[in-house]
Amino acid sequence: MPYRRRYTGLIERYRDRLPISDDTRVISLGEGNTPLIKLNNIPKDMDKDVEIYVKYEGLNPTGSFKDRGMCMAVTKAVESGSKAIICASTGNTSAAAAAYAARAGIKAFVLIPEGKIAMGKLAQAVMHGAVVIQIRGNFDDGMQLVKDVAEHAPVTIVNSINPYRLQGQKTAAFEIVEELERAPDFHCLPVGNAGNITAHWIGYTEMACSGEHITDACKLCNGHCPYSGSGMISKRPKMVGYQADGSAPFMRGGPVKDPDTVATAIRIGNPQSWEPAQAVMKESEGWFDECSDEEILAAQQLLATREGVFCEPASATSLAGAMRDINNGKIPEGSTVVCTLTGHGLKDPDIAIKQSKVELVPIDAKLEEVRDAILGNM
Ligand code: AN7
């Protein structure tokens, strides 16, 4: 048997491309290495000649892409001697922060908007022993409070304003390039704070880097440009960011006061990575657009019923937008498209059940009744 190294997470995998030293204690749960699934049925249904892949980030240890960033943020927090981390969150960041803090043996404080967080995410934060602080306010209020309180208490912020978060998250782009042996033509993501779309651009840019700082966004790599001189890819993708229409500050040209959407993960009105995301769009020649809640839920259901992939509502925004732009020709036929599915469908079971048309009426536990139930639905 050939010796194969056990996969132990993205920090070990990409150690030479991350700000990690030999004696750093790595806090990992085996994050990364997620499947890039080629859609079989949806492109056929659309009658379009496009290759659509979904990067299923819901298969990370806590069920979202946040684990990529959180392993780096917590590893660096522990390295610097921090005993506590803090974040504001629409749910997934708090779940990841809680889990990685538990793993590291430090404390996690999480600020969440009252009543607007999916049940699975709340369960995770509670289960991992985080101190959960519910505020009468939204994510944006929580983010401001976190910034303020961090000046008065010995806590490390692990929201994506922590630069190590984006360093971890850039590795998703590495994995995609390694699998496709090139960059896709278009990379579509749901956008909230715009940290993840920025992180992907850093990743692609490092892979395209031929030794010089070629662009403004490229400088975001902070000198961690291991591909320097190699130029693994010759072309970077156009980055496309989709927001929920009730929560679309990038489409309105500035912060939105009372953001609202069924996709609670991206219910964010004042994106923390505003400037970098604008640079990403300019450099990649990509664009922002918005999707309605109906489009988002329809795409979520389509993925589940036609492809067997269950993602949370916010995640489906990437496919909802991509399908519209494929249909209207903005994404032309012949393109290779990657849509990031940021979180697992099990995060938000309430939404799934609520939109389901299946009637859960019990029948008698008798052969005839079960047989009729089957034959009546063939
Ligand atoms: C499933 O957990 O901001 O554009 O506090 O959970 O990088 O903010 C979540 C964001 C997309 C948006 N999809 O990513 C939080 C939080 C899912 C998410 C996003 C989030 P960014």
Side-chain angles (χ1 to χ4, degrees):
M1 281 276 280
Y3 174 74
R4 281 179 66 224
R5 218 168 145 227
R6 197 167 79 86
Y7 183 82
T8 54
L10 62 84
I11 296 182
E12 292 302 350
R13 172 73 184 78
Y14 296 109
R15 174 174 274 281
D16 58 340
R17 303 169 220 181
L18 291 165
I20 287 284
S21 60
D22 288 346
D23 44 13
T24 303
R25 177 186 157 214
V26 172
I27 314 295
S28 170
L29 290 164
E31 58 294 312
N33 198 23
T34 55
L36 186 67
I37 304 169
K38 188 173 178 186
L39 299 188
N40 287 330
N41 300 318
I42 291 175
K44 270 195 219 129
D45 294 349
M46 295 171 72
D47 198 22
K48 291 288 179 190
D49 174 27
V50 284
E51 286 191 356
I52 309 177
Y53 294 84
V54 291
K55 181 72 168 158
Y56 194 17
E57 291 287 274
L59 289 196
N60 275 295
T62 77
S64 88
F65 72 97
K66 304 285 182 183
D67 295 341
R68 290 184 188 273
M70 203 54 72
C71 68
M72 276 300 299
V74 173
T75 291
K76 296 302 281 188
V78 169
E79 183 180 52
S80 73
S82 178
K83 297 277 183 283
I85 57 173
I86 189 168
C87 65
S89 180
T90 57
N92 280 324
T93 301
S94 59
Y100 283 84
R103 180 84 166 159
I106 61 173
K107 223 171 167 100
F109 296 95
V110 305
L111 270 73
I112 56 169
E114 182 187 24
K116 293 286 184 180
I117 160 172
M119 208 40 79
K121 304 173 188 179
L122 183 58
Q124 289 177 291
V126 171
M127 196 69 194
H128 291 302
V131 178
V132 179
I133 303 167
Q134 270 207 81
I135 58 162
R136 287 189 206 96
N138 59 26
F139 169 86
D140 305 301
D141 302 320
M143 191 66 242
Q144 188 55 52
L145 286 163
V146 162
K147 287 181 186 170
D148 293 344
V149 83
E151 288 181 16
H152 301 280
V155 288
T156 304
I157 300 177
V158 293
N159 282 102
S160 55
I161 58 172
N162 177 326
Y164 298 119
R165 279 278 310 277
L166 302 196
Q167 284 296 312
Q169 287 169 217
K170 75 183 179 184
T171 59
F174 295 168
E175 291 175 12
I176 291 164
V177 167
E178 284 164 9
E179 277 201 53
L180 298 179
E181 297 184 317
R182 51 166 289 204
D185 300 307
F186 298 88
H187 190 140
C188 306
L189 293 113
V191 168
N193 278 303
N196 208 27
I197 201 165
T198 303
H200 279 76
W201 187 242
I202 296 172
Y204 285 122
T205 299
E206 287 187 11
M207 284 205 135
C209 185
S210 55
E212 301 286 318
H213 278 312
I214 50 178
T215 65
D216 277 348
C218 182
K219 289 178 193 144
L220 293 167
C221 81
N222 280 330
H224 298 287
C225 208
Y227 281 113
S228 190
S230 72
M232 286 271 292
I233 51 174
S234 55
K235 205 168 138 270
R236 294 173 292 172
K238 289 186 164 59
M239 304 299 293
V240 188
Y242 298 109
Q243 302 211 278
D245 63 6
S247 181
F250 284 105
M251 299 304 291
R252 308 289 168 263
V256 169
K257 259 228 149 343
D258 290 306
D260 203 15
T261 168
V262 69
T264 52
I266 50 173
R267 191 171 165 270
I268 294 166
N270 188 12
Q272 298 299 305
S273 291
W274 182 271
E275 301 284 335
Q278 299 288 5
V280 169
M281 288 312 168
K282 203 162 136 239
E283 286 178 18
S284 78
E285 295 168 11
W287 62 89
F288 287 113
D289 209 335
E290 59 194 301
C291 301
S292 68
D293 281 2
E294 292 71 32
E295 285 177 293
I296 292 169
L297 293 178
Q300 183 197 19
Q301 212 158 44
L302 200 60
L303 267 171
T305 55
R306 291 296 286 146
E307 303 285 357
V309 178
F310 189 20
C311 67
E312 67 171 286
S315 307
T317 310
S318 58
L319 183 70
M323 286 176 65
R324 181 176 348 116
D325 282 335
I326 289 165
N327 280 324
N328 68 23
K330 240 175 136 177
I331 295 176
E333 292 207 52
S335 298
T336 299
V337 183
V338 170
C339 293
T340 296
L341 302 181
T342 42
H344 202 289
L346 291 173
K347 290 273 192 175
D348 199 346
D350 297 334
I351 289 292
I353 297 290
K354 223 187 270 169
Q355 69 161 324
S356 149
K357 288 165 197 81
V358 179
E359 270 191 69
L360 291 173
V361 184
I363 56 169
D364 288 336
K366 293 203 178 107
L367 175 61
E368 313 82 75
E369 298 235 355
V370 175
R371 185 198 56 205
D372 289 352
I374 290 170
L375 294 179
N377 281 293
M378 287 295 273

